[in-house]
Amino acid sequence: MPLTIIGTFGGSIYFFTKAMTDYILKKKMIEKGFVNDETQAIFKSQTGENKFSSLKWGLIIFFAGLSLITMEFIPTSPESPLPYGLFAVSVSLGFLIYYFLLKKEIEK
């Protein structure tokens, strides 16, 4: 449990720091006048990657919650690996649905 808490805290700090440094870098480039067509294309390509991020996390959290609700109704012993497997399969199903939806959207 402590490892999970420390890992989550470290990951949060990493992503927050990355977002802030990217913002500061873009702001300084604009102030210095280094923004031309090429750099604008780079900025736009970076923002386009996160277009479906909320869909991905919504599906993952939905299926994770669905597996936790399902585990409440399945009687298991405390030593059983069934809850871990059900949780992993459900989260993987969320990822697969996200993948196929994204693939379908890109093909359009």
Side-chain angles (χ1 to χ4, degrees), residues 1-103:
M1 191 61 146
L3 185 63
T4 304
I5 293 170
I6 292 170
T8 303
F9 184 68
S12 300
I13 289 174
Y14 168 76
F15 286 116
F16 177 75
T17 305
K18 183 175 178 350
M20 289 303 295
T21 54
D22 286 348
Y23 171 75
I24 292 169
L25 177 65
K26 289 176 185 178
K27 185 178 173 185
K28 285 187 178 183
M29 286 179 72
I30 291 170
E31 287 174 357
K32 300 276 184 181
F34 291 126
V35 180
N36 56 18
D37 293 334
E38 190 174 303
T39 54
Q40 285 180 357
I42 293 171
F43 290 162
K44 288 179 183 177
S45 69
Q46 288 179 352
T47 57
E49 293 174 5
N50 295 330
K51 186 176 179 183
F52 295 101
S53 179
S54 58
L55 173 66
K56 175 177 68 174
W57 288 110
L59 283 170
I60 291 169
I61 291 171
F62 173 75
F63 279 99
L66 195 62
S67 72
L68 292 174
I69 292 169
T70 305
M71 283 188 272
E72 186 68 29
F73 297 108
I74 298 175
T76 59
S77 66
E79 304 88 29
S80 175
L82 178 68
Y84 301 112
L86 182 63
F87 187 77
V89 167
S90 296
V91 171
S92 299
L93 183 63
F95 270 118
L96 285 172
I97 290 172
Y98 167 73
Y99 170 75
F100 288 117
L101 287 174
L102 189 65
K103 185 177 174 184

